[in-house]
Amino acid sequence: MVEQVLLIYNTLTRRKERFEPINAPHVGMYVCGPTVYGDPHLGHARPAITFDILFRYLKHLGYQVRYVRNITDVGHLEHDADEGEDKIAKKARLEQLEPMEIAQYYTNRYHQAMDALGVLRPSIEPHATGHIIEQEQLVKEIINNGFAYESNGSVYFDIEAYNKKYKYGILSGRSLENIKDASRELDGVGEKHHQADFALWKKASPEHIMRWPSPWSDGFPGWHCECTAMGRKYLGRQFDIHGGGMDLIFPHHECEIAQAVASQGEPMVKYWMHNNMITINGQKMGKSLGNFITLEQFFTGNHESLTQAYSPMTIRFFILSAHYRGTVDFSNEALQASEKGLEKLLTALADLERVPVSAQCDAETERVVKGLRQKCYDAMNDDLATPQVISHLFEACSVVNKLVDHKATICADCLKELSETMHLFVEEILGLKSEHGNNNDAREEAFGKVVDMVLDLRAKAKAAKDWATSDKIRDELAAAGFEVKDTKDGVTWKLNK
């Protein structure tokens, strides 16, 4: 394989940069996972699929990737300003269950949905509740370095003290003054020095059921601590990639940067990558906004906004049909187009098995086949441009259709190259696959043999000049949805769905 030069967009520098790992061939990648208090929705699918593509492609390029994706099961309060109730504890109170029952149930639901979407499991999936000690240690380091303070049993990050030595806001582009101005709209400062200061540790109120002992109080870690602590534990003081949704740039990832620098004196992450949002009528889809559609609802069609059910692979194709840094607006029309696009790719893959081999290629077929692989690589290397990859694969689908219909010719070597390239990019890198299980595959194979047998009977009828039987077989197949074509090289068929 020709060495590929991968460019990725770094949110920190606001430009595409050549990907050069800190300790090649090893790559450390951390991605913010779900807060497990409700069923996963389409907005959860986008970061999972985006960074699944990156994970797959880096491994294909020969890197040894340690991919860490966390489960947030404590500390994520209802409001970013450290106000309100813990989201999981609130759900547990409403349903009269233990918080860990809630967390486990929705973690399982998340896994089931991601498996259906073809998202590979990460190398490590740490839970926030399993790393309280590491988070407490992080808080101690930040206090000892003079960038945090205790107040009434809670500990807050001192943004003003940090900003005197370093710069808060480098990822989001916000200045400290802008952050302070925005914070003045909130309630009074209370136990914080400044409303913009964020919690590293929160003292639990008497009714709070998720709590751990600490030097400051019985309480729980702030939402931002877990990713800094767990990223450092499993990937080291410096690692290559930190990913997540664009809505996490501020405050979550901005706070992560500040925590890392305040605790160890230097940044932890080289490349920050962010996928854009899924929108409905131009508004971000999210549980907090109440406008979300769960993945299970997509899979079953059981939602008032859906005109039909959409398969997991259709959802995956829908997300990959837009660049990860662009917005994707939900509509039934877009999903139906994705359904057709997916069928086009998978049908072409299946049809490769019955492409006739010729002594040589026609010029157009040879041009497309010989340029296909590098065109797909070039698109992937340009910041994971999956829409362009799909476009190139569609061009290959057109070639396959012509070959099956005997309107083009291909030699054995070019057919092998075409088949390997299409399988590589459709299945291994884009992660798109047939959703039929082994039993269905066996049924389809038997189904194909039956159709071939019927067409053989038709051929015998034609040979015997029994035109009535021949036409009857053709017409009955057409009525059943089969498109039969007689060519100079034989008969071809396909089922129009």
Side-chain angles (χ1 to χ4, degrees), residues 256-313:
E256 278 196 61
I257 291 175
Q259 289 171 162
V261 173
S263 63
Q264 64 185 34
E266 59 184 353
M268 197 161 63
V269 178
K270 186 174 181 181
Y271 303 97
W272 286 88
M273 296 181 69
H274 296 90
N275 63 275
N276 213 320
M277 300 295 100
I278 300 279
T279 57
I280 296 182
N281 299 321
Q283 184 182 38
K284 173 197 162 185
M285 175 182 286
K287 280 185 282 205
S288 59
L289 298 172
N291 65 347
F292 64 94
I293 304 173
T294 70
L295 290 170
E296 183 178 352
Q297 288 170 328
F298 276 104
F299 301 160
T300 62
N302 185 26
H303 190 280
E304 60 185 9
S305 298
L306 301 174
T307 58
Q308 65 179 79
Y310 298 99
S311 72
M313 284 297 112

Side-chain angles (χ1 to χ4, degrees), residues 101-118:
E101 284 185 88
I102 296 294
Q104 188 64 58
Y105 176 78
Y106 288 112
T107 298
N108 293 345
R109 299 278 286 177
Y110 178 79
H111 286 154
Q112 290 162 5
M114 294 306 114
D115 289 347
L117 290 169

Side-chain angles (χ1 to χ4, degrees), residues 5-8 17-24 26-27 58 63 239-241 270-271:
V5 177
L6 172 61
L7 299 178
I8 57 176
E17 297 179 2
R18 178 169 178 161
F19 178 64
E20 296 178 318
I22 298 167
N23 295 305
H26 300 279
V27 172
L58 289 172
Y63 292 112
F239 58 88
D240 300 295
I241 299 168
K270 186 174 181 181
Y271 303 97

Side-chain angles (χ1 to χ4, degrees), residues 1-12:
M1 184 176 79
V2 177
E3 183 181 359
Q4 305 299 325
V5 177
L6 172 61
L7 299 178
I8 57 176
Y9 185 85
N10 189 349
T11 308
L12 187 64

Side-chain angles (χ1 to χ4, degrees), residues 4 364 367-382 385 388-393 395 421 425:
Q4 305 299 325
E364 178 63 12
R367 179 192 69 79
V368 174
V369 172
K370 296 234 172 136
L372 178 63
R373 186 176 296 234
Q374 194 55 51
K375 280 184 176 179
C376 289
Y377 274 130
D378 290 344
M380 288 298 297
N381 292 336
D382 185 14
Q388 281 65 48
V389 176
I390 291 171
S391 176
H392 297 319
L393 291 171
E395 186 178 14
T421 301
F425 282 94

